[in-house]
Amino acid sequence: MSEAARITVHGDDPYDVVIGTGVLAELPALVGERARTVAVVYSENLPEIARPVAGALEQAGYLAHLVPVPDGEAAKNVSVLAGLWSRFAELGVTRSDAVVGVGGGATTDLAGFAAASWLRGVRCVLVPTTLLAMVDAAVGGKTGINIAEGKNLVGAFAPPAGVLCDLATLMTVPHEDYISGLAETIKAGFIRDPRILELVEADPEGAARPDGPHTRELVERAIQVKADVVGADLKESGLREILNYGHTLAHAIEKSEDYRFRHGHAVSIGCVFAAELARLDGRIDDKLVERHRAVFSSVGLPVSYRAEAWDELRATMNVDKKTRGATLRFVVLDELASCGRLAGPSEELLRSAYAEVAR
């Protein structure tokens, strides 16, 4: 067990993100003393992680119940959510009890929304098990599910009571999924903390491994970026939008691929697209755009997508959450670690930027 680091996410309901290796003993303190029954919602592919979580809770005196859900984005639909509500009723989960979500970003999104909507809100602690979930999904209080019309269109802002990031679980993550999580980490470097980029550039091979020399620092820095932003703007009224850098195109790609395309891979392409938009709009230079391509590709992330997909992607982007009325809005860089907004770009500009990432 390593000494745990704590990053506090400030706001109306502040909470801690605990980071370390072998830190499961920290979980009961995050669940709190009021709860008696705890529903441990976990990805069905992770029983070897979920069982010790339930064991740690039972050892601390809770009645812990394992509640499996489908793996990945298949969990984020209304029928699975309704099944959780029914299970919570069967288990007798009351307002003073708690939900613990164990798994990747889809599982933590679902568990968080289930907790937020059950009895109008019960305590929720998240135990993310992937890099993507640690640096993105589990921190910030965004919860939700997908519908046929788009990703994350139904949900709620509901900050967890705590987040436990045990870096030991990263060793169980398939290589391509780990690489996918690096996209959100690198994104945090471009929008807020360039030191992340420097660490990746200095050792791309090490950055691409969970046992790399800078893994903990990369995780902590990416979480700190998100904590600083969401602590100042929980409900995405302004600043928080910068976390969606690259996500307008990314979400369109994911929908086009019926959510079988890894989120981080889509974000990588989306960030390069956003950089090209900023360059064509006269905001950043060629060098910063090329840095996007170089850093993302150095760890094995894609930086291009199908040329023939543009019309479908463009139509999907109209449903993006940052759209205001009929005006499409993008988060772009004005310079490294400084974000701006691009509202209502011309169709010619959009098509020209996409041509730069098309293959």
Side-chain angles (χ1 to χ4, degrees), residues 103-268:
T107 306
T108 58
D109 281 357
L110 171 71
F113 189 37
S117 50
W118 180 246
L119 302 179
R120 297 187 176 89
V122 298
R123 192 172 180 87
C124 183
V125 174
L126 301 177
V127 183
T129 60
T130 67
L131 180 59
L132 180 59
M134 288 182 188
V135 303
D136 183 42
V139 179
K142 275 189 177 180
T143 69
I145 58 171
N146 306 326
I147 58 174
E149 289 73 19
K151 184 173 181 178
N152 297 328
L153 293 180
V154 179
F157 289 102
V163 179
L164 183 70
C165 298
D166 191 334
L167 301 178
T169 65
L170 295 179
M171 300 302 293
T172 69
V173 178
H175 178 69
E176 279 300 311
D177 291 336
Y178 188 80
I179 296 300
S180 177
L182 276 177
E184 292 284 2
T185 308
I186 292 169
K187 178 207 74 178
F190 279 111
I191 65 172
R192 195 90 171 188
D193 182 2
R195 177 60 182 157
I196 291 172
L197 305 180
E198 294 168 3
L199 288 169
V200 175
E201 288 166 332
D203 184 8
E205 185 182 346
R209 303 193 324 264
D211 61 347
H214 303 301
T215 297
R216 179 162 173 167
E217 184 176 0
L218 287 169
V219 171
E220 288 184 11
R221 284 183 174 275
I223 290 174
Q224 188 67 64
V225 167
K226 187 152 193 186
D228 289 345
V229 171
V230 302
D233 176 22
L234 172 65
K235 296 191 175 179
E236 208 165 82
S237 57
L239 176 65
R240 184 168 179 160
E241 273 193 343
I242 73 173
L243 297 173
N244 285 320
Y245 184 57
H247 283 56
T248 302
L249 181 66
H251 284 163
I253 290 173
E254 288 179 284
K255 184 175 184 296
S256 174
E257 297 279 352
D258 199 24
Y259 304 111
R260 291 188 294 265
F261 201 84
R262 287 180 176 85
H263 177 68
H265 289 50
V267 167
S268 175

Side-chain angles (χ1 to χ4, degrees), residues 25-92:
E26 303 278 347
L27 180 59
L30 296 175
V31 171
E33 297 178 355
R34 290 185 64 212
R36 178 173 178 269
T37 298
V38 180
V40 179
V41 176
Y42 73 98
S43 168
E44 63 187 5
N45 287 3
L46 299 175
E48 74 283 355
I49 295 176
R51 281 194 294 264
V53 168
L57 292 168
E58 288 169 350
Q59 196 169 10
Y62 301 98
L63 297 175
H65 300 274
L66 290 169
V67 183
V69 295
D71 183 52
E73 293 291 326
K76 289 176 60 173
N77 70 61
V78 70
S79 62
V80 176
L81 176 65
L84 284 182
W85 292 330
S86 295
R87 188 73 177 117
F88 293 169
E90 291 171 8
L91 296 175

